[in-house]
Amino acid sequence: VLWGRKINCGNFAPFAGGGNIRASAKFVASQFEDAITWDDIAWFRSMWKGPLVLKGVLSPEDARLAAEHGVDGLVVSNHGGRQLDSAPPALAALPEIVEAVGDRVEVLMDGGIRRGDDVVKALALGARACMIGRAYAWGLGASGQAGVARAISILKAEIDTTIGLLGVPEIGDLDASVLRPAG
């Protein structure tokens, strides 16, 4: 690394001094806004009539507030732990968030979805759907569009196998009881 070509952050080059590491880090830090409030969400809702989804929700209280401020969907996510490495796993936060919003808001799960049984767990805990960013990205990187199709095919087969092994006839029949240990 010391004697190789200079490393830079090419994605940030137009915004951050040619993409050098320090300038890129400063640029990224400048993109975070710590003064956003629920009033900003309400303002955005007033300006945008389409579906509004808020990502990064990990607490039932934030989920309730999001619903009260007009959000149509929530993505339960800790952003892969990139922002706070001690943030709770999204799957652990999911049941309380689903309970907090009931049917008022669609709840999606993001994070930790690697296999079909991960999807089944999230759906059993109340998620309406799961985001599959890594599977998609791995498939895309391996074989382009065909790789993405293959990744989705693998996930679907794993989901079908998992619900079959659980004795659940249809994916819509899943509930948290399939996750409880017998006894």
Side-chain angles (χ1 to χ4, degrees):
V1 172
L2 291 175
W3 294 281
R5 69 177 180 84
K6 182 180 175 186
I7 296 174
N8 66 39
C9 299
N11 292 349
F12 301 123
F15 313 104
N20 78 59
I21 299 296
R22 285 183 194 221
S24 294
K26 186 175 180 180
F27 170 74
V28 169
S30 76
Q31 299 304 298
F32 288 90
E33 175 58 64
D34 60 357
I36 292 175
T37 69
W38 290 108
D39 290 337
D40 294 313
I41 301 296
W43 170 82
F44 194 85
R45 170 79 287 167
S46 74
M47 302 296 288
W48 174 254
K49 301 306 176 195
L52 179 58
V53 178
L54 184 64
K55 181 179 179 186
V57 177
L58 287 173
S59 79
E61 181 59 24
D62 283 346
R64 280 189 283 277
L65 286 166
E68 290 169 13
H69 286 86
V71 169
D72 299 299
L74 300 173
V75 178
V76 180
S77 172
N78 68 5
H79 305 289
R82 289 190 310 268
Q83 277 72 31
L84 294 171
D85 63 1
S86 60
L91 191 68
L94 179 63
E96 290 180 347
I97 290 171
V98 169
E99 184 178 335
V101 298
D103 292 335
R104 296 180 295 163
V105 174
E106 295 288 344
V107 178
L108 308 175
M109 171 70 186
D110 181 47
I113 305 298
R114 307 289 185 270
R115 299 179 312 268
D117 67 329
D118 297 325
V119 174
V120 170
K121 289 174 202 170
L123 296 177
L125 292 174
R128 178 86 164 145
C130 295
M131 302 176 92
I132 59 164
R134 287 195 186 174
Y136 177 96
W138 290 337
L140 184 64
S143 298
Q145 182 177 349
V148 172
R150 179 72 176 129
I152 292 169
S153 173
I154 291 169
L155 278 173
K156 182 182 181 321
E158 291 174 347
I159 292 166
D160 291 344
T161 298
T162 302
I163 65 172
L165 291 171
L166 290 170
V168 177
E170 300 289 332
I171 201 160
D173 297 332
L174 285 169
D175 61 36
S177 69
V178 301
L179 303 177
R180 282 189 235 137

